[in-house]
Amino acid sequence: ILPLEYLKGKYIIFWVGLSYTIEMASGASNNIIASSKNYRVLTWMVVITLVIIVVSNLIFIPLYQITGIAIAAAITRIIYTLLKVVYVYFKYGMQPFNINFLYISCIAFFVYLISWWTPFLGNLYFDIVIRSGGIAAIFVILTILMKISPEINEKMLELKSKYLK
């Protein structure tokens, strides 16, 4: 869809998207720490993050130019997120991950491989609609069959009983 001169930007989008995905998956660690009596810990984590972003920028910008900025930012965001998750785990015994997170990650990787191996269908817009729909369908079907989310399976049973009488 984008012109060729924007092709370098795909790795920037990848690194920034990866870091935000990891942050999103980490749960409410930031809110837990911020609303606790130990809220000052976040200040120290931000200081550590500041050091990491400066050092990682010094390393990655000369190596990868604008993509290096995205890599440095992603590394910094991921480390900051992991610091918060680890702190909440050791301080409060809470963590956002369970075995279902591993299963859903495996499904996502499997679906990604399918999308990677699927040949281009000719028309760009037709390809986007068909491949995206197929990938989403495979993801949802595998998630339901593996019973990863009780809420999703319950909703599917509800829809099945409503529409397939």
Side-chain angles (χ1 to χ4, degrees), residues 103-118 131-143:
Y103 295 151
I104 206 77
S105 297
C106 289
I107 290 171
F109 183 70
F110 175 71
V111 169
Y112 172 76
L113 289 177
I114 290 172
S115 73
W116 187 263
W117 291 329
T118 304
R131 287 177 20 147
S132 297
I135 289 165
I138 292 169
F139 189 86
V140 168
I141 289 168
L142 289 175
T143 303

Side-chain angles (χ1 to χ4, degrees), residues 1-2 8 15 18 28 32 44 48 56 60 64 67 69 94 96 100 111-113 127-128 135 146 153 158 160 165:
I1 294 175
L2 294 175
K8 286 184 182 179
W15 285 107
L18 176 68
I32 292 169
W44 291 107
I48 292 168
S56 61
F60 291 105
Y64 303 108
T67 304
I69 297 169
M94 299 164 53
N100 288 338
V111 169
Y112 172 76
L113 289 177
D127 183 75
I128 289 171
I135 289 165
M146 293 182 70
N153 283 66
E158 187 180 302
K160 180 181 172 186
K165 294 180 180 180

